[in-house]
Amino acid sequence: MTKPSKLHIIMGPAACGKSTIAEAVSQYLDWPMIEADDHHPRENVDKMSKGTPLTDQDRAAWLDSLINTIKTTPSPAVVLACS
């Protein structure tokens, strides 16, 4: 299995349509899409839902999960939707 060599990142603030755009780009390019929000641990989701900002330490597990997912995607390219 080869690691993806191309990564398109669609990013922006909450509720701006980045997931919708990323899905359209993913379909157009025929690349898999990764939704970064799906990789937050429960603790991060709970903090964010209370309006508590995440720290760099909070983001570490999230970033590790994203990196692992990107590395193990059986595609030469991916689209990532990320706030």
Side-chain angles (χ1 to χ4, degrees), residues 20-38:
T20 302
I21 297 298
E23 185 63 40
V25 170
S26 169
Q27 289 177 4
Y28 178 79
L29 296 173
D30 196 26
W31 296 358
M33 180 191 143
I34 298 170
E35 174 59 62
D37 287 345
D38 293 344

Side-chain angles (χ1 to χ4, degrees), residues 4 6-11 17-39 66 69-70 73-75 77-83:
K6 294 181 183 179
L7 174 64
H8 282 355
I9 302 173
I10 310 296
M11 56 189 303
K18 63 189 162 294
S19 295
T20 302
I21 297 298
E23 185 63 40
V25 170
S26 169
Q27 289 177 4
Y28 178 79
L29 296 173
D30 196 26
W31 296 358
M33 180 191 143
I34 298 170
E35 174 59 62
D37 287 345
D38 293 344
H39 293 268
L66 283 174
T69 300
I70 291 167
T73 298
S75 171
V78 295
V79 176
L80 174 69
C82 182
S83 298

Side-chain angles (χ1 to χ4, degrees), residues 41-53:
R42 179 88 242 147
E43 298 81 21
N44 287 6
V45 174
D46 291 343
K47 276 182 122 173
M48 290 185 290
S49 68
K50 294 175 185 169
T52 305

